[in-house]
Structures are given as structure tokens and as C-alpha cells.
Amino acid sequence: MRTCRRVIDRAIPALSLIAALSVSGCGSTPEANQTVGNTLTVVTASPPQTLDPAKTAQNNSWLENLAYEPLIVRKSDGTLTPGLAESWSYEGTGNKTFVLKLRPGVTFSDGSPLSAQNVVDHLKYVVSSAGQMAPLLAGCTFTATDPATVTITSPAPNPDFPVMLTQDFIIGGVIGSGGLADPGALGTTTVGAGPYMLDPQQTVAGDHYTYVPNPHYYNAPAVRWRKVVIRVITTPQAVLNALKTGQADVAVGDPSTVAAAKQAGLTVASSLFLWNGVVLADRGGTLAKPLGDVRVRQALNFATDRAAIAKALFGGVGEPAHQVTVPGGYGYDDSLAAAYPYQLDKAKALLAEAGYGGGFTLAVVTPEYQQLHLVAQALAQQWKQIGVDLRITDYANANQYAADAFGGKFPAFMTAFGQIPIWMEGPSLFLPSAAFNPLKYADPALQSRYDEAASSTGDPKTAADRGVVAYLTTQAWFVPVVMTGLPYYARNTVGGIATSPKEPLLSLYEIVPAA
């Protein structure tokens, strides 16, 4: 997800991070006199390794959302509305059986029809592809109950199927049968039932991706642009310049340029949902023995002056973070709002107790987005005061960062991760199968808390979710540093730019030509 979104970024999913458009036909038909714009140009910060919805990272979701309409659409106010599915519901008790009723008359861009079996084949392909989101469907069975009904059966309680199958997590965007028959081609082509499809002739991989209307789209009046271009621009200042000079209409921004974007008269939309910081991945002490001791991990947290970093690098858009969530987010615990006050003496005492009074060297890898490389540099200066020598590998190329971070080559890595439901967060962030747990560290006590949260409902679930976050906090699996929102910038050439606490990711589905 960038480790945000994606997921998400997710490589930051949020992954991470992570990471649709106003076709939200996905349920709605616009007025007959609504304007259709010529070209919508949006900017993303990292090039995709693939366009395959089953394999891509969450932070590249925009490139999939244009072509692959999801089964369920999440609007900017957080409400869930029909996409390829007209309706959905759980059957029985325990949140184990989820049923989708498909929209009739839907055709993919290759001319093939949408069917329940097609959706089943798509979901099976997602699992077999072992991409970032595949763990969310691990162990599930998929059945075409009838030509328009899909039943998903989970081996364990799953309260989050409706959210999982929205555009935010990509895998709800169904691949047509033609694409599934030739999966190797999905890396560079699209076979979806969304409002647009990739035009390879107007696309240069890694630089820009051009989408044109899908002639088979079931709700043609909802297509509001004759062309959508997604440009890849990797440096924050260059992104801002592209909007200021009219080369782009919408972009994923960066905390370092928010003030300048506002000064330039751009619309800035952002809702708090990211925590930026360090994943202490080597909890078993395989690559960096000191990290195997909880006292060392806690010491790093106590040695972090979050307020200073928030002020210096995220002035006006960031707040100190102590938990892997945000206020009002899933599992947030008010009692842990300041779990690790800046206390160098406490940090030094913990290191001495663990046998590292003389300090140690720790390698960390970081990308150059969302200020993460600058946060790493600030931590290097702060942790030096307790004898920890932070050796930073800084990648401008997000794909290089993702390969090393998620490939288990470093004991620690920087991330910006978007808060998501705890049940979904486990397979993404902290369970042994999670991408953000590349060394596959398992903790039975954490697993027990996670299982309790997954099987609970109502107030008991809320309490159990807090128990998971509290355990991660006290065991110091991470060093959360700053909470931010993911800023989005837009020119006055467009409307529909909105986010909310329930949907902090900007949806391309709702972007329309300015009135």
C-alpha cells in the first residue's frame, strides 16, 4: 500500500499502502446534461511492477480501478454501494458465509460476459497468485451457486468481506475470462468491466498510462472523461510543479509540499489515517540479534522524539504517533495515546538491562516518499544518543525498496501504513503470512488476541481490537513516529475531490469536470 495504503503501501499498503473514479456507475446514472471532459491527468508517485490486479501493490490501485470495476464500491463518505454486485449479505452466524448477487448485463472490455463462475475463477486466481492481498482470502472456498450468485465460505470468521471487495483493496476488481485465460498478459494489458481500458499505443510503461472508455461498459453515461492519463512522477516538488503548471489535474501529494500547494491555490484533501515509522521486522533476532529482545525494541521507542520530528518534517499535517492506528481508528486505545514519552534515560536503562549498554548497529531500508527517508535520518540522529548506529539504505526507486523490505533482506524498514480493520490488518501487517512480517515471526499470544477479535461482534469486538493494538504497542513490534493523512492535490479544473475518516483514499470514481 506505499506502505500506506497500501496496504497499504500497503509497499506502503496501506502497504501497506497503497491504494478509483467517477464511474461510480457503480450504481448511479448521471444527469443527461452532465459534462464530459476531454482528458483527466492524475499523478502517482511510483510506477507499478505489474497491472495485474491480483499481483500489484495497493499503492498502485488507481491503475487497476479505472479498468476493473469492483464488486462493491466505497464512496468518499465511506458508504458501500453496488458495483458489479447488486447486493451482498452474510448468511447464518459467525460471519463465515458471504453471498453476492451480481448485476445483470455486464460485459468485460474483451466482450465476454460477467458470470458467477467468472467471479469464482477470478477469486481463485487471486489466491493462487499470492499477491499482497491474497492472504485476505486464504483458505476460503468460492462457489457459483447459480449463474448470478457467488458464495464465499471462510474457514474462520471474517467480518470484513464487504470492505475487502471494494476498490480500496483491488482484488474486488474482477478480471474477465479472457484475461484469466492468459494471465501473463495481465501485467501490461487490462481485461476488466470498468469504465475504461488501457490503451497500449498511448502508454509508456513506467512513465504514463493512458485509459480510454470501455465500449462495453454497462453504464456509459457515467463515463465522465474521454481519456484518463496516469503519470508517474517520483519527486514531491516535481509533482507539485506539474499541477501548478497545468500538466496534471490531480495528484497524490506529500507532507513536504502541502503548505506550498495551499499557497498555490490548489485544493488539498486529506483525512488522518497513516502512521509513519519503522517496522522492527526481526523480532526473532535473526539478522539483528538485539531486536529479539523486547527491551531493546522498547528502548528505541523511548529514544524517539516524536514531537520534534512531527514539527520539523510534518508541520501542520502531522501528529506524534504511538500506536499502529489513529484516533478514532480501528483498535485505537486512548490509554496508549502517549505510550512512549521521549525518555533517553529510560531507553539507556532498557538497553543496559538487555546487555546492549554500549549500543549496537542497526540496518534500515527506506523509500523516498512521504518523508520517510527524512524520518529515518532524524531517527539516526536521535538514536545515536543511546548508542544505536542506524545504517540507512535509501532507495529513490520504490520497487527496489519493496524488494528489499518485503524480501526480508533488512531487520528493519521504514513504512507509512494506513489504518484498516484489525481482521484485515493481521494478514497485511503482523501475522506470519503478512508482507510486513517478511521474516515470518509468529507469536502465539498475539495470534490468540487476533482470533478473539475475529470471532467477536459489537462491544466485545471493539475491546478485542484494542487488545491486539495494545499488545503490538507494548511488545514494540514497531516504532510509530508520526500520524498523517495522505494529501491529495487538485486544480480547479476538476470537482469531486473528497476524503473522509471512513474513506481516506481519494476515489477517481468521483472526480468530474469542474462545473
Side-chain angles (χ1 to χ4, degrees):
M1 151 201 143
R2 300 189 261 287
T3 44
C4 113
R5 302 133 46 71
R6 328 258 295 252
V7 329
I8 111 334
D9 227 350
R10 9 55 175 5
I12 300 187
L15 283 150
S16 167
L17 38 32
I18 23 124
L21 119 103
S22 171
V23 300
S24 53
C26 313
S28 62
T29 302
E31 301 289 339
N33 62 353
Q34 281 186 327
T35 302
V36 175
N38 286 322
T39 302
L40 171 67
T41 302
V42 300
V43 175
T44 188
S46 61
Q49 293 177 300
T50 176
L51 296 180
D52 187 337
K55 298 177 180 178
T56 195
Q58 189 183 26
N59 54 301
N60 294 131
S61 62
W62 274 355
L63 292 110
E64 274 65 41
N65 296 159
L66 289 166
Y68 296 95
E69 181 159 317
L71 289 159
I72 301 170
V73 174
R74 182 150 68 171
K75 298 181 75 67
S76 59
D77 63 2
T79 58
L80 301 181
T81 61
L84 297 185
E86 281 192 317
S87 63
W88 54 90
S89 63
Y90 284 94
E91 289 189 348
T93 59
N95 292 336
K96 291 185 177 182
T97 303
F98 187 67
V99 179
L100 297 143
K101 298 289 186 180
L102 301 182
R103 181 187 297 275
V106 173
T107 304
F108 289 91
S109 60
D110 66 351
S112 62
L114 173 71
S115 68
Q117 187 58 52
N118 177 201
V119 174
V120 167
D121 293 341
H122 162 76
L123 294 173
K124 288 181 177 179
Y125 173 67
V126 167
V127 173
S128 66
S129 295
Q132 180 186 351
M133 300 301 168
L136 298 176
L137 297 173
C140 291
T141 58
F142 314 103
T143 306
T145 311
D146 62 46
T149 305
V150 176
T151 299
I152 304 175
T153 304
S154 174
N158 176 354
D160 294 323
F161 275 123
V163 176
M164 280 170 46
L165 298 177
T166 66
Q167 73 272 16
D168 288 351
F169 295 91
I170 307 176
I171 56 177
V174 180
I175 302 169
S177 58
L180 295 172
D182 185 15
L186 291 173
T188 56
T189 60
T190 60
V191 185
Y196 298 90
M197 58 186 186
L198 184 76
D199 182 351
Q201 301 304 313
Q202 299 185 68
T203 294
V204 176
D207 183 78
H208 66 274
Y209 300 78
T210 301
Y211 292 78
V212 295
N214 171 8
H216 298 289
Y217 187 53
Y218 70 84
N219 191 10
V223 179
R224 303 301 302 278
W225 303 93
R226 295 185 177 90
K227 180 189 297 185
V228 179
V229 178
I230 298 181
R231 294 183 58 193
V232 178
I233 302 179
T234 59
T235 61
Q237 189 58 50
V239 170
L240 178 61
N241 290 341
L243 270 78
K244 291 170 65 176
T245 58
Q247 299 175 59
D249 303 291
V250 180
V252 180
D254 186 270
S256 65
T257 57
V258 167
K262 291 179 178 179
Q263 186 175 15
L266 300 175
T267 296
V268 178
S270 180
S271 296
L272 197 67
F273 90 110
L274 288 168
W275 62 268
N276 297 2
V278 189
V279 177
L280 301 178
D282 193 15
R283 297 135 203 157
T286 303
L287 301 177
K289 186 177 178 181
L291 293 188
D293 192 312
V294 64
R295 294 169 295 185
V296 171
R297 302 194 300 268
Q298 291 172 340
L300 296 177
N301 273 277
F302 280 116
T304 300
D305 189 346
R306 294 165 168 83
I309 294 176
K311 181 178 180 180
L313 300 180
F314 300 88
V317 297
E319 301 176 17
H322 296 258
Q323 305 173 49
V324 291
T325 184
V326 299
Y330 303 98
Y332 187 81
D333 189 334
D334 288 331
S335 69
L336 297 173
Y340 290 103
Y342 182 49
Q343 296 179 349
L344 289 178
D345 289 344
K346 177 72 170 178
K348 291 176 181 178
L350 285 168
L351 285 183
E353 289 177 16
Y356 297 98
F360 62 94
T361 297
L362 178 63
V364 64
V365 63
T366 183
E368 291 187 0
Y369 51 70
Q370 297 303 312
Q371 305 272 71
L372 289 174
H373 59 306
L374 301 181
V375 173
Q377 293 170 20
L379 291 175
Q381 293 299 315
Q382 292 181 358
W383 292 357
K384 185 177 181 179
Q385 298 180 70
I386 61 169
V388 175
D389 181 9
L390 193 63
R391 301 288 179 86
I392 302 170
T393 296
D394 184 340
Y395 283 131
N397 185 305
N399 292 334
Q400 286 181 295
Y401 154 79
D404 281 4
F406 303 122
K409 297 180 180 179
F410 281 79
F413 56 93
M414 304 298 299
T415 193
F417 196 96
Q419 63 96 11
I420 56 177
I422 296 300
W423 187 91
M424 298 175 66
E425 189 173 72
S428 298
L429 185 64
F430 57 79
L431 292 182
S433 60
F436 284 76
N437 187 4
L439 297 177
K440 310 305 178 188
Y441 184 76
D443 186 324
L446 177 61
Q447 184 71 55
S448 177
R449 286 167 171 77
Y450 174 80
D451 291 343
E452 178 184 358
S455 62
S456 301
T457 58
D459 290 341
K461 175 172 174 52
T462 299
D465 284 349
R466 288 197 190 108
V468 171
V469 173
Y471 188 83
L472 292 171
T473 303
T474 57
Q475 290 296 305
W477 280 31
F478 308 91
V479 183
V481 179
V482 180
M483 297 180 291
T484 68
L486 187 63
Y488 296 96
Y489 305 157
R491 291 175 58 81
N492 60 8
T493 51
V494 299
I497 306 300
T499 61
S500 69
K502 292 184 179 179
E503 176 52 295
L505 303 179
L506 181 66
S507 171
L508 296 184
Y509 282 122
E510 298 182 28
I511 299 176
V512 297

